[in-house]
Amino acid sequence: MLHEKRRTFLVLMLFCLTTAFAVAQSFTLQGKVSDKNGNPIEFASVMVPSQGKLAMTNLKGEFKLDLQSSDSVTVRFSMVGYKSKTRTLRRPQGKQTLLIQLSDDNELQEVVVEGKQTQHGTTEELKIDQTKQAPSATGNAVEEMIQTQAGVSTHSELSSQYNVRGGTFDENSVYINNVEVYRPFLVRSGQQEGLSVINADMVERVGFSTGGFEAKYGDKMSSALDITYKRPKRNEGSIALSLLGASGYVGLSGKKITWLNGLRYKTNKLLLGSLDTEGEYDPAFLDYQTYLSWQPNARWQIDFIGNISENHYNFKPQDRETRFGTMENVKSFRVYFDGQEKDIFRTFFGSLSLTNHLTKKTDLSLIASAYSTKEQQRYDIQGQYWLTQTETSENLGVGTYMQHSRDYLKANVQSYKLMLQHRTNQHKIEGAITYKIEKIIENSAEYEYRDSAGYNVPHTGADLNLYYALRAQNRLNANRTEAYLQDTWRFQSKDSIPTLYTLNYGVRFAHWSFNKESIVSPRASLTITPGSNRNLSFRFAAGLYYQAPFYKELRDTTTINGITYAQLNSKIKSQTSIHMLAAMNYRFEMMNRPFKFTAEAYYKALARLIPYSVDNVKVTYYGDNKASGHAMGVDLKLYGEFVPGTDSWLTLSLMNTRMKLNGKSIPLPTDQLYAINLFFTDYFPGSKRWRMSLKLAFADGLPFSAPHKELENNSFRSAAYKRADIGMSYNLFENQDRSKPSIFRNVWLGLDCLNLFGISNVNSYYWITDISGQQYAVPNFLTGRQLNARVLMEF
């Protein structure tokens, strides 16, 4: 009996000692993961490989793990887009707290890669550093990058404008440092377009949304482009030279002040020389921008942005010969010209922002801005033409035409904005009220006279009529009031591995004094990231969006005695679009390289549409709300390291649009059934000094009809747009780590081949009408194959 009690006592003692030893050998590891600026990194992995334990950081960047102690416990912290870190703990016990800071994976190279950050809303962050050295026909790196995204299309390499999911060029809002910016009004062709208002050298962040965007973005129906200029942390600069222009950039950094300066010059004379129309092209586009930021103390910050743009387009055409048709039916269109065109687009833009950091989490900003443009478009061009059937030498049409224009426009827009931002652990609340003063003066006179085989067209037998004539003398003086309030709320479920939610919801209000219209725009989006797979997320968004009318949409026309008069329609209303979209993001690794796949389906119900026609980049509106319709489609994008150490993407867009006008269902003028874009980068094997960039575009053609005809007659569709641009860059001098005694960080030499395959793309037509009324659509081909050499010096 005594022996049995002793044995029981020994077993109990052994159990207690074992339990105590086990408790002593376990410990709790907790902490927080943040970036170099102290911002929490969510979804970061905290892994102990030896114990098979894994945790993910929450919305605050915090984590917690229960682990077994040993002589050493190695913990690995990682997140896509950041450099991994490893910490080794020696005989840990009790509670251990680690504060981990991860640096950008590309910090040393100063290249931040688009798409590596987790997307929580409908705005995707894009980075342009790798596209700056891509082959470019416009020199506008930001817009050319946007044109390669899913849901975005363009049909002219000479233009920086773009269509988004069936919308017009005018349906895309652009912001620079919380200020909405504008484009010139009278531009009618890509040849006239100068430099974009966005200077890529000065950009730090690019946010882009193709639909379902937040309430803080203005009253446009298609997209929102949000640009943030940088405040450099050290002195830097660059000089770029090419056959298509030049640019210089200097960024100065001090303890309390930063100052950016950018000067750009562009001439597309070389490209225009590859067009069918030969002559003296003399385009010259000059742009200067400055961004000054002063922070006298921790509470106050003053920012100033200034922009001066002077764009001239001078052209004296000489002759043109265009062959078109099929292999068995070739027509030749030959023209001899007389006359010239002189256009000027002079723009001034400035903004002044005063920000008070009321607390660490609350900011109050007062932003004043002014935009002024003076535009004139003048041409008198006469052409004598012959349209011939080449197989039989039969003259299909012989005649003369005369085009005349005296278009003058002055516009001034002043804006005053009061904005409040407040952040908490789970909420980011933002609201603002804006007051705008809009003044526009227009004086326009245009006409076109046509003569075919000695007869005036249109021919009545009694009258001498112009083919087309327009007169416009308009004044706009209006005020616009805008306000919005939105909240981004991040929360999670109570599961052991929680599901994360990001809900953005808000409302926007606007009132315009010209048409006495008030509009209210509610918007919301929800992103869900399952706890079971943090690499997978789902997004849903819906909202009521308006296209608030501005000057172009207002111009209603009336024809009297063969002359069309354009007047402003004060009864016009905002176009409406109800956005509904569902999307999925999936991040994965393949061949030990990171990739991201995005799929998005959308439907837009359109009402109170103002019908329009598109000729090159000129959009002409009916000036009245006459139609309704829809746009729907699917956008797919695969982004990742197709080649190790480089970033590429492939996009596919499928779309269907319809518009009901005067009882007839027709496609929208921007209807594009499909579009495929590829941006691909690669290095030569064994050397990263040589880099290749390839851009491919293949997009369905757009509907079209004869000019000055009813839109319902859009019964034709142009040929598909196909283009390939390739560029080679060589890093002649590399000093990124500053190990060499030189002011230069990099010196790059580049050679581009634009339109590699010499494909003749079409984005507009010239129509020939003979005396019998027969019409012929003569294609206006875009640029041919062209080489461009460039040099980039970074210091």
Side-chain angles (χ1 to χ4, degrees):
M1 184 69 177
L2 181 61
H3 178 72
E4 186 66 28
K5 289 183 178 180
R6 183 177 299 172
R7 188 170 61 178
T8 302
F9 176 75
L10 290 175
V11 170
L12 289 174
M13 287 292 294
L14 181 60
F15 174 78
C16 293
L17 289 172
T18 302
T19 303
F21 180 77
V23 172
Q25 294 301 308
S26 64
F27 72 101
T28 300
L29 178 64
Q30 61 186 20
K32 183 177 181 179
V33 180
S34 60
D35 61 18
K36 62 182 180 180
N37 297 318
N39 301 314
I41 300 177
E42 54 198 57
F43 308 152
S45 298
V46 184
M47 180 184 295
V48 182
S50 61
Q51 300 184 25
K53 292 293 187 71
L54 171 68
M56 307 289 283
T57 57
N58 60 19
L59 297 174
K60 301 177 184 179
E62 299 171 346
F63 66 90
K64 185 177 181 181
L65 272 174
D66 292 324
L67 301 169
Q68 296 296 318
S69 183
S70 63
D71 290 341
S72 65
V73 177
T74 300
V75 188
R76 186 174 182 268
F77 301 86
S78 63
M79 174 63 184
V80 176
Y82 295 88
K83 285 190 172 182
S84 300
K85 276 192 175 181
T86 300
R87 290 289 182 267
T88 301
L89 307 177
R90 302 297 180 184
R91 298 184 180 86
Q93 295 182 4
K95 282 189 177 182
Q96 299 286 325
T97 301
L98 292 178
L99 301 178
I100 302 298
Q101 189 176 85
L102 300 182
S103 60
D104 195 320
D105 191 30
N106 297 296
E107 190 176 43
L108 291 178
Q109 291 76 25
E110 293 185 331
V111 177
V112 183
V113 181
E114 174 261 328
K116 286 193 174 181
Q117 303 297 323
T118 303
Q119 183 178 344
H120 295 298
T122 56
T123 300
E124 181 180 8
E125 283 201 28
L126 309 174
K127 302 300 179 182
I128 66 168
D129 292 59
Q130 289 214 357
T131 63
K132 283 183 180 180
Q133 295 191 54
S136 171
T138 67
N140 300 318
V142 173
E143 285 86 349
E144 289 202 9
M145 179 185 63
I146 295 297
Q147 291 171 353
T148 64
Q149 302 303 307
V152 184
S153 65
T154 181
H155 285 77
S156 174
E157 64 274 5
L158 293 172
S159 174
S160 63
Q161 302 195 59
Y162 50 88
N163 305 109
V164 178
R165 293 178 174 175
T168 70
F169 305 132
D170 303 317
E171 295 179 16
N172 308 311
S173 60
V174 181
Y175 287 81
I176 297 179
N177 285 27
N178 295 308
V179 177
E180 187 172 9
V181 296
Y182 302 88
R183 302 178 186 271
F185 294 87
L186 294 183
V187 171
R188 73 181 195 283
S189 69
Q191 291 93 309
Q192 297 172 293
E193 278 195 31
L195 290 157
S196 161
V197 68
I198 304 169
N199 188 327
D201 292 329
M202 302 170 64
V203 171
E204 179 181 57
R205 176 186 174 274
V206 179
F208 183 62
S209 175
T210 53
F213 37 89
E214 302 170 17
K216 68 178 181 179
Y217 299 120
D219 297 303
K220 298 292 180 71
M221 291 199 305
S222 289
S223 73
L225 177 59
D226 190 355
I227 303 295
T228 303
Y229 278 177
K230 59 187 173 183
R231 301 177 72 243
K233 295 179 173 57
R234 62 175 179 227
N235 297 337
E236 60 184 23
S238 65
I239 297 175
L241 305 171
S242 80
L243 298 178
L244 299 178
S247 67
Y249 158 73
V250 175
L252 304 177
S253 177
K255 291 183 178 180
K256 296 184 178 181
I257 192 169
T258 61
W259 188 18
L260 305 183
N261 291 274
L263 181 66
R264 297 179 293 167
Y265 169 75
K266 170 187 170 182
T267 175
N268 52 11
K269 183 176 181 178
L270 187 68
L271 279 174
L272 300 182
S274 65
L275 297 174
D276 283 348
T277 302
E278 297 183 357
E280 297 179 17
Y281 292 93
D282 187 22
F285 311 115
L286 187 66
D287 170 273
Y288 168 74
Q289 289 194 41
T290 183
Y291 172 39
L292 180 67
S293 181
W294 179 40
Q295 195 167 3
N297 53 52
R299 293 197 59 185
W300 291 95
Q301 180 174 325
I302 301 173
D303 298 299
F304 170 75
I305 295 178
N307 173 226
I308 301 173
S309 178
E310 183 84 5
N311 298 328
H312 292 254
Y313 178 74
N314 300 322
F315 175 44
K316 292 182 179 180
Q318 294 174 352
D319 61 77
R320 164 184 175 174
E321 183 173 7
T322 301
R323 292 178 178 265
F324 63 100
T326 64
M327 293 290 291
E328 298 177 353
N329 182 13
V330 180
K331 295 178 175 61
S332 174
F333 178 65
R334 188 167 186 82
V335 189
Y336 293 97
F337 294 103
D338 185 26
Q340 64 179 341
E341 176 177 356
K342 289 189 175 182
D343 305 327
I344 299 176
F345 302 91
R346 184 176 295 120
T347 302
F348 300 91
F349 168 74
S351 70
L352 181 65
S353 172
L354 177 65
T355 301
N356 183 274
H357 304 290
L358 301 176
T359 67
K360 291 183 178 181
K361 298 183 177 181
T362 307
D363 300 327
L364 180 65
S365 300
L366 177 62
I367 306 172
S369 66
Y371 169 83
S372 176
T373 182
K374 182 178 181 180
E375 305 173 19
Q376 60 182 38
Q377 183 174 254
R378 301 172 297 170
Y379 56 82
D380 289 284
I381 297 177
Q382 176 181 281
Q384 295 179 327
Y385 66 85
W386 288 262
L387 181 63
T388 307
Q389 187 74 40
T390 58
E391 295 87 354
T392 62
S393 299
E394 177 188 357
N395 283 332
L396 302 176
V398 178
T400 302
Y401 67 86
M402 174 70 181
Q403 295 177 330
H404 166 90
S405 173
R406 293 294 185 272
D407 297 337
Y408 303 93
L409 184 141
K410 293 181 180 179
N412 293 278
V413 179
Q414 300 176 36
S415 173
Y416 304 93
K417 182 177 184 178
L418 183 65
M419 181 173 67
L420 179 67
Q421 296 175 310
H422 178 67
R423 299 168 297 278
T424 66
N425 290 334
Q426 292 182 290
H427 294 267
K428 182 180 179 181
I429 303 170
E430 181 178 327
I433 183 169
T434 305
Y435 183 72
K436 296 180 179 179
I437 303 172
E438 304 165 345
K439 296 182 179 181
I440 298 179
I441 301 174
E442 177 200 22
N443 288 286
S444 296
E446 303 175 5
Y447 70 77
E448 181 174 353
Y449 167 79
R450 292 190 185 183
D451 174 274
S452 177
Y455 291 90
N456 171 251
V457 179
H459 178 65
T460 65
D463 302 318
L464 183 65
N465 294 321
L466 295 172
Y467 183 77
Y468 164 73
L470 173 71
R471 299 289 185 274
Q473 290 186 340
N474 295 306
R475 304 289 186 274
L476 173 67
N477 288 280
N479 302 321
R480 198 184 300 263
T481 304
E482 301 174 346
Y484 71 86
L485 180 64
Q486 69 173 44
D487 175 32
T488 301
W489 177 26
R490 296 186 175 184
F491 58 98
Q492 60 188 37
S493 66
K494 297 182 179 180
D495 302 325
S496 57
I497 303 179
T499 297
L500 306 180
Y501 300 90
T502 301
L503 174 65
N504 176 274
Y505 56 99
V507 63
R508 186 176 184 88
F509 168 82
H511 176 78
W512 197 29
S513 64
F514 182 78
N515 62 356
K516 308 295 189 299
E517 181 188 28
S518 297
I519 54 178
V520 178
S521 173
R523 310 173 186 182
S525 67
L526 175 66
T527 302
I528 303 173
T529 305
S532 57
N533 189 347
R534 293 291 172 85
N535 291 318
L536 181 67
S537 64
F538 301 94
R539 286 183 288 112
F540 305 92
L544 174 61
Y545 293 80
Y546 291 90
Q547 178 72 20
F550 200 38
Y551 190 73
K552 286 184 179 181
E553 295 96 323
L554 296 177
R555 298 171 83 243
D556 196 4
T557 56
T558 303
T559 302
I560 302 175
N561 296 326
I563 299 177
T564 300
Y565 296 91
Q567 297 178 324
L568 304 185
N569 181 9
S570 61
K571 296 182 180 180
I572 202 165
K573 301 299 180 182
S574 299
Q575 304 174 81
T576 65
S577 175
I578 299 177
H579 289 200
M580 293 172 283
L581 62 90
M584 181 269 293
N585 289 345
Y586 179 57
R587 296 181 300 164
F588 62 96
E589 285 195 359
M590 184 168 58
M591 297 175 290
N592 295 321
R593 299 196 294 270
F595 287 85
K596 174 183 168 183
F597 175 73
T598 302
E600 188 162 322
Y602 62 91
Y603 182 86
K604 299 195 292 187
L606 310 174
R608 298 198 309 202
L609 289 180
I610 304 172
Y612 60 90
S613 60
V614 180
D615 182 19
N616 203 309
V617 298
K618 181 181 180 181
V619 181
T620 303
Y621 292 89
Y622 273 38
D624 199 5
N625 305 95
K626 292 185 175 181
S628 60
H630 75 263
M632 62 181 181
V634 176
D635 294 332
L636 307 175
K637 179 180 179 181
L638 177 63
Y639 172 89
E641 294 187 9
F642 291 22
V643 174
T646 67
D647 298 287
S648 308
W649 59 86
L650 173 68
T651 66
L652 170 64
S653 298
L654 304 175
M655 183 176 68
N656 171 267
T657 71
R658 303 299 294 180
M659 176 171 62
K660 188 174 183 180
L661 176 62
N662 296 328
K664 189 174 181 180
S665 178
I666 59 175
L668 287 171
T670 53
D671 180 67
Q672 183 176 268
L673 302 180
Y674 60 87
I676 302 173
N677 286 282
L678 171 68
F679 180 82
F680 179 75
T681 55
D682 194 4
Y683 291 105
F684 271 36
S687 173
K688 288 197 173 183
R689 287 184 175 270
W690 286 94
R691 184 166 69 185
M692 182 274 292
S693 298
L694 175 67
K695 292 166 59 178
L696 298 178
F698 180 48
D700 187 28
L702 301 179
F704 72 95
S705 64
H708 317 303
K709 301 295 183 181
E710 293 298 325
L711 195 60
E712 299 92 313
N713 295 324
N714 271 14
S715 54
F716 306 99
R717 187 176 289 269
S718 62
Y721 181 83
K722 303 178 285 290
R723 186 175 175 89
D725 298 328
I726 190 170
M728 299 298 302
S729 300
Y730 176 68
N731 194 345
L732 181 66
F733 179 78
E734 195 275 329
N735 190 28
Q736 193 73 39
D737 57 3
R738 312 301 175 98
S739 60
K740 303 173 184 177
S742 173
I743 64 170
F744 292 105
R745 288 188 292 119
N746 285 294
V747 176
W748 288 88
L749 304 179
L751 180 65
D752 302 332
C753 183
L754 306 175
N755 196 357
L756 176 64
F757 302 115
I759 298 173
S760 298
N761 288 304
V762 182
N763 77 332
S764 64
Y765 292 84
Y766 185 80
W767 288 80
I768 299 298
T769 306
D770 62 21
I771 188 61
S772 65
Q774 178 71 35
Q775 290 185 312
Y776 301 92
V778 182
N780 295 316
F781 291 119
L782 289 165
T783 59
R785 185 187 295 110
Q786 192 66 55
L787 295 178
N788 178 39
R790 49 187 170 81
V791 179
L792 174 63
M793 295 172 283
E794 299 175 324
F795 53 87

